[in-house]
Amino acid sequence: MRRYGRNADEDDIRVRPNRKGNRPRTSIRPKHEDAAEGMVLTVDRGRITCLVGDRTITAMKARELGRKAAVVGDRVSLVGDLSGNKDTLARIVRIGERSSVLRRTADDDDPYERVVVANADQLAIVTALADPEPRPRLVDRCLVAAFDGGLEPLLVMTKSDLAPPEKLLELYGALDIPYVVTNREELYDGGAADRVREHLTGRTTAFVGHSGVGKTTLVNALVPEERRRSTGHVNAVTGRGRHTTTSALALPLAGAGGWVIDTPGVRSFGLNHVDPSRVIHAFPDLEPGTEGCPRACSHDEPDCALDAWVEEGRADTARLYSLRRLLATRERHEGD
Ligand SMILES: Nc1nc2c(ncn2[C@@H]2O[C@H](COP(=O)(O)OP(=O)(O)OP(=O)(O)O)[C@@H](O)[C@H]2O)c(=O)[nH]1
Ligand SMILES: [Mg+2]
Ligand SMILES: [Zn+2]
C-alpha cells in the first residue's frame, strides 16, 4: 500500500542490470549511488529524523536540494554517516516524488503555503464534541484540503463522554465520509481504538484538527509505547500546563502496518492555494445540486441552483452556508 514515488532527476536514473545480460541499461551513473532510502519521521527546525531500515537517523538537508523542504512522510535518499549514532548527521540528497501533499496557508490571503505532510493517503479530521466546541467550518476547510491534496477524509469525533455526537452527525453523517466517535476511556478499555484502527490499517493517516481536540491522546492509544519511544517526540507545555504538539511526527502502527502522523493543532486552515472551483468537491452533498447552476456560477448569486436544492431538503442549510462562507472569505484568522 505504501507508495515510493520516483523522482525524474537525472541523478535518479538507476543503473539496473539488464535481465538478459550483465551490461547496465544506461551509462548515466547516479551521483549518489550509495544513498540509502528512508522516510522522514519528524522535522525539528533543521534537524530531520528519518527511518532508514530499522534505524532512526538524524539528518540535514544537503545544500544541493535548494529551497525544497523535506516534510514528514517524505521518502528521501541519504548519504554520509548512516550509523544513527549520537551526534552523527546524515545528509538528505534527494526528496522523492510525492503521491499526495497536504498543504495549508496560515490564512486565506497568505501566499506562503506550506506542505504539512507528504505521501499520506488519508486525512483524519479530528474534532472534539466539546472542549473545545466543534467548529464545522474548520472541518469543512480540512475536507477541502483533503480533496485538493489527494487524501481520503476520515472524521474522528472525540470526547463523546462530554457531549453527544448527534448534532455533528446531522451535518456529516450523510456525507458518505467514514467517521468514528471516540472517547478517552474507551480508547483503552472499550473498542474505540479498534474502531479507529479499522480505518488505519495499511495506510498512512495524518491527524489534523484544532489544538486540544485529542489528536495525541488518540495516536498514543494506537501506537504501542516502545514504538513511540524510538522516535523522540517533541512536546511543549502550554501556559495552562497542558502538553501541546509542536511538530508533526510519524509513528508506525503495529500488526498489519500503516502509519499515523500526529500534527500540531491549528487555529485555522488557510486555503489560499486551492482554486475556488475545486472547493465544491469537498461538499459531496451539494455538488450534484450544482448541475442546474448557470455557467461559472459563484454559488452565491440569485440563479444559483443550490438554494432550491436545499429548499427541497436534499442537503442541510448549514452546509450551503458553510460552502458560501468558505468561497467568500479571504478573511484573516478565520477558522471557527
Ligand atoms: N474528556 C475527555 N478528554 C479528552 C479526551 N481525549 C483527550 N482528552 C483531553 O484533552 C486534552 C487535549 O488532548 P491532546 O491529545 O493533547 O490534544 P491535541 O489535539 O493533541 O492538542 P495539540 O497537540 O495542542 O494540537 C488532554 O487534557 C486530554 O487528556 C476524551 O475523549 N475525553
Ligand atoms: Mg497533540
Ligand atoms: Zn451555483
Side-chain angles (χ1 to χ4, degrees):
M1 193 69 201
R2 234 172 281 154
R3 283 163 292 186
Y4 290 84
R6 299 272 292 144
N7 193 320
D9 289 350
E10 194 180 88
D11 63 282
D12 195 43
I13 297 171
R14 293 275 154 155
V15 181
R16 219 180 285 149
N18 189 316
R19 283 250 167 89
K20 290 188 193 123
N22 294 323
R23 260 184 307 136
R25 271 219 302 242
T26 166
S27 60
I28 304 170
R29 298 190 66 79
K31 209 155 85 196
H32 296 292
E33 57 180 343
D34 54 348
E37 303 296 310
M39 174 182 157
V40 176
L41 300 181
T42 191
V43 182
D44 183 18
R45 275 149 273 166
R47 294 169 83 81
I48 304 160
T49 306
C50 303
L51 184 70
V52 179
D54 55 3
R55 258 173 299 162
T56 306
I57 288 174
T58 307
M60 307 278 285
K61 213 178 66 174
R63 198 177 301 154
E64 66 207 71
L65 280 180
R67 290 229 301 246
K68 187 169 183 185
V71 303
V72 174
D74 263 329
R75 310 293 186 232
V76 294
S77 305
L78 302 108
V79 299
D81 192 330
L82 302 174
S83 67
N85 293 338
K86 205 166 168 279
D87 298 328
T88 60
L89 267 185
R91 268 185 316 132
I92 293 177
V93 291
R94 190 163 49 229
I95 299 173
E97 196 181 303
R98 294 163 174 163
S99 63
S100 79
V101 272
L102 176 66
R103 291 191 174 88
R104 86 178 183 95
T105 53
D107 43 56
D108 283 345
D109 52 11
D110 177 9
Y112 178 75
E113 78 177 48
R114 67 181 100 189
V115 176
V116 187
V117 168
N119 300 320
D121 23 49
Q122 185 165 245
L123 186 67
I125 303 166
V126 187
T127 179
L129 293 162
D131 186 30
E133 284 306 302
R135 292 170 168 79
R137 273 160 48 208
L138 181 57
V139 174
D140 292 341
R141 285 170 166 273
C142 293
L143 284 173
V144 173
F147 282 96
D148 194 66
L151 293 86
E152 283 176 47
L154 167 71
L155 288 175
V156 182
M157 304 174 197
T158 60
K159 310 199 188 187
S160 66
D161 51 314
L162 301 181
E166 278 69 30
K167 244 178 82 187
L168 261 194
L169 284 178
E170 255 172 50
L171 287 183
Y172 297 103
L175 288 195
D176 239 13
I177 294 168
Y179 67 86
V180 212
V181 180
T182 69
N183 68 62
R184 193 175 39 196
E185 265 54 65
E186 267 189 11
L187 278 177
Y188 291 95
D189 305 338
D194 291 336
R195 287 205 306 280
V196 180
R197 209 175 277 119
E198 235 172 71
H199 295 275
L200 309 179
T201 302
R203 327 173 73 177
T204 299
T205 304
F207 286 74
V208 298
H210 197 274
S211 183
V213 294
K215 298 179 292 299
T216 302
T217 304
L218 199 61
V219 164
N220 284 352
L222 293 164
V223 178
E225 182 104 38
E226 79 274 11
R227 284 175 177 253
R228 264 183 280 146
R229 219 180 302 123
S230 62
T231 47
H233 196 178
V234 198
N235 255 323
V237 179
T238 64
R240 281 184 290 164
R242 190 171 68 73
H243 284 268
T244 188
T245 308
T246 53
S247 52
L249 171 72
L251 292 160
L253 284 168
W259 290 86
V260 289
I261 302 177
D262 192 10
T263 70
V266 293
R267 286 195 146 275
S268 61
F269 209 103
L271 297 169
N272 188 27
H273 56 287
V274 179
D275 187 320
S277 69
R278 295 176 56 85
V279 168
I280 187 74
H281 300 319
F283 290 79
D285 47 340
L286 296 173
E287 195 171 14
T290 62
E291 264 171 37
C293 286
R295 266 191 74 214
C297 182
S298 68
H299 305 311
D300 202 4
E301 53 194 65
D303 288 341
C304 179
L306 288 176
D307 290 291
W309 186 258
V310 164
E311 268 158 42
E312 290 161 17
R314 310 185 69 164
D316 198 296
T317 318
R319 294 278 299 159
L320 178 54
Y321 177 74
S322 181
L323 169 71
R324 288 187 169 155
R325 286 244 13 162
L326 225 161
L327 288 169
T329 43
R330 285 288 186 260
E331 283 166 29
R332 286 187 171 273
H333 307 302
E334 198 258 351
D336 53 331

